[in-house]
Amino acid sequence: MTDKFVVGPSPHVLGPKTVKSVMWEVVIALAPVSIAGILLFGLDALLVLVTATVTAMILEALVLHRNLKPASILGDGSAAVSGLILGLILPPSTPLWMVVIAAAVGILLGKHAFGGLGNNIFNPALVARAFVFMSWPVAMTTWHGPLSLSDWTTRVSVDVASSASPLGGAQHGLMEMFLGQTAGSIGETSALAILLGAIFLIVRGHIDWRAPLGYVGSAAVVAAIYSFLGGDFALTTIAWQLMAGGLLFAAVFMITDMVTSPVTKTGRLLFGIGCGLITMVIRLYLSAPEGVTYGILFMNAMVPLIDRYTVPKVFGEVKSR
Amino acid sequence: MSKSFSGGIHPAYNKAMTAEIPIADMPLPDKVRLPLSQHIGAPCKPLVAKGDTVAMGQKIADSDSFVSAPIHASVAGEVVLVDDQAIEIKTDKEKSRFSGAAQSYNNQGELRQIIREAGIVGLGGATFPTHVKVTPPEGVTIHTFMINGAECEPFLTTDHRVMLEQGQEMIAGSKLLMEACGAEKTIIGIEKNKPDAIEHMSKLIADEPAFAVTGVQVKYPQGWEKQLIKSLVGQEVPDKGLPLDLGIVMNNVATAVAVHRAVEYGEPLLNRVVTVSGSGINKPQNVRAPLGTSVADLVEFCGGLKPEAAKIIDGGPMMGRALSTLDTPITKGTSGILVFNRDEVHLFSEDPCIRCASCVDACPSRLLPNYLALYVKREMLDEAEEINLMSCIECGCCSYVCPSKIPLVHYFQRGKQEINARNRNQ
Ligand code: SF4
Ligand code: SF4
């Protein structure tokens, strides 16, 4: 027995969570939407998801490790999360070369130009989507509806134009929208699959209810006011607005992005409300379908400010201070 | 809803290893080393010289400061070393028998004096001199006395065992402390993972109208004074304030027992119960060890270390201190000696902060640990102070939950030291 013992700072026991475990659990939470997207939109969707995820992982491995060993590619899982989320918010008919460019923009410009994991101000997947949306607006707003199982392997190319999304004016029943049987981005159409992911994330303690609730709540309020002013107030209109486009997906998977949202509790709520308001104003008054992307990107930039103004009162702080 | 506070964590408690085993009395070691500073406040000055013969229980060091507590010889024997750090005594096992007599007092002041003379400090680990705690400043009235039986640190079971084995003495001591601080009632707070202690205490106080026992939620750091008060009465002790500000004084289980013994038998603080536990020790158990016993002797008494033993912790795993050597004495504040095997030694790695806010949600003081760490790292001390670095209680909840394994507490200790140093120099 030697008298040499390990010394180090307290605490001497640490919890089970690691960056890796957190990231891969987010990937698990994305499984229902990914599977739903692939079932609904066929091989196209599968190829887009795989391309986006793999490109992101390979680029991150090259940036961080300058090699492509399997361990480097798997990394801490954060590139897989960004890549997969990016794939899920693209239309299923997006050409694969465009997906590669989008993933590169997300990882290189959105993440590593800011200093890598934890330092990026903007959600990398949204940076990527904003970029491809501005560069190839037509491809980004060309959707096709769900495929029947027999067509599953059919490739739908962009120029074989397609059906309108709900936000583009397509009419759908609420049930169809809840299940995701509408035209839209791969992971954004099925409210059911999104909710499954949300439940998993909440149960595992990876997301807090404040940002999503602030987001969906404020969007619902704007939708209610808008429909009331328009004279066609109905609860179904509000539900329709919430399920259309990428709003629900964003509520669960994007405004909860840890790196790019506030850390304070009040801040998370304000952040969600801000994102919701901007999203809906862009959507309803500017008639642009990209409200989700720009609403969140704008609020991402506000995060340091929000954190600064929502520092909580410390335990026992006297009220008059 | 269980009575509780916000934030906090649920680490693995690992108390079963020692909770059921009665406290073992350790035979006197051949030598004791008694540090001159075993408490918060002014260090003591030696009253003996090398070569002196001392009796067991004899006062061997004291201080003129109010905030201090004298040190007594925990064994009889010959003083073999006196320096500015500690006094060492070679034990004379024949003569090591304590004899004292019940102390009487006529007023609060005399009672407090008995407590002071017995060298009693907070035995939960805080080591704040007890006579100071029960002396409210002019104009402050204390209405409630509380006993902290939460014992929220994983592994530790000393208070649990003491409540079960010396409950009667604890109640007697609580009455004395209640009298010393002028309180009218006593609330005993115990975490609900000790149902036997809650039941036992409830029985003991059945005929004591001034006493109440309250079970509180099992959550770390429930035993932190301010958090436990919040759980028990729903009020927050002011930031940078004291429980006194709410008319409350709180003491630990073992402290109350020590006060009882000081009055009843005239016995100063000579020993304390230490939980010796962890995977790297052969016989985990609670041990009543003379103050000044070396960790080596204590470990020996508990069957020695296992070959894989790699880390020794003085205190609990959340707030304790890693020891580099077994040649360290048990002091008034030593609540546990834990031995971890190599495979349980976590290393902080410091991946980048992913802003997951786990630390924010876990912080019982409602701080923003991620920003605090960032500011300390960048030497932005003003900014760190601005967002209340000094209110951090170093409980370790933030480090525990951090997925990036950032040694947050380490940064906060460093930052606080730097701020204190800077303030001294101004
Ligand atoms: S728990 Fe760690 S990674 Fe998460 S915000 Fe706090 S410091 Fe950053
Ligand atoms: S160590 Fe300090 S910052 Fe961390 S949780 Fe405890 S009080 Fe909060």
Side-chain angles (χ1 to χ4, degrees), chain B residues 362-365 367 369 372 391-398 409 412:
Chain B
C363 178
S365 307
L367 303 177
L372 287 173
S391 300
C392 165
I393 60 175
E394 298 173 25
C395 66
C397 291
C398 50
V409 174
F412 305 155

Side-chain angles (χ1 to χ4, degrees), chain A residues 52-53 56-58 60 73-74 76-84 107 111:
Chain A
T53 312
M57 292 169 78
I58 288 179
E60 172 132 321
I73 293 183
L74 284 177
D76 56 20
S78 63
V81 169
S82 298
L84 185 53
I107 291 295
K111 187 173 176 184

Side-chain angles (χ1 to χ4, degrees), chain A residues 95-272:
Chain A
L96 296 184
W97 60 266
M98 215 182 272
V99 176
V100 170
I101 293 178
V105 168
I107 291 295
L108 301 179
L109 209 67
K111 187 173 176 184
H112 288 288
F114 287 95
L117 182 66
N119 295 310
N120 49 302
I121 297 176
F122 300 103
N123 186 323
L126 286 176
V127 170
R129 176 155 85 172
F131 178 84
V132 287
F133 183 79
M134 285 189 284
S135 310
W136 299 283
V138 177
M140 285 302 115
T141 45
T142 306
W143 326 88
H144 69 74
L147 302 173
S148 64
L149 228 42
S150 52
D151 297 338
W152 196 82
T153 50
T154 315
R155 308 288 327 271
V156 184
S157 74
V158 186
D159 21 81
V160 185
S162 346
S163 42
S165 71
L167 279 181
Q171 297 301 313
H172 288 284
L174 284 181
M175 199 45 166
E176 270 178 312
M177 295 190 63
F178 184 69
L179 296 176
Q181 292 160 315
T182 65
S185 296
I186 298 168
E188 294 182 340
T189 64
S190 172
L192 176 65
I194 293 169
L195 287 178
L196 287 179
I199 291 170
F200 178 78
L201 287 176
I202 290 178
V203 169
R204 298 290 303 157
H206 295 311
I207 65 174
D208 170 57
W209 54 269
R210 288 178 183 79
L213 199 78
Y215 188 57
V216 175
S218 63
V221 169
V222 177
I225 294 174
Y226 183 78
S227 61
F228 183 75
L229 294 179
D232 61 347
F233 179 80
L235 286 181
T236 46
T237 339
I238 300 170
W240 189 92
Q241 277 289 356
L242 296 184
M243 285 195 282
L247 200 145
L248 271 192
F249 181 88
V252 176
F253 296 110
M254 293 205 285
I255 65 164
T256 56
D257 174 49
M258 298 161 186
V259 177
T260 58
S261 61
V263 299
T264 67
K265 288 182 180 155
T266 322
R268 286 174 228 160
L269 187 65
L270 291 179
F271 178 76

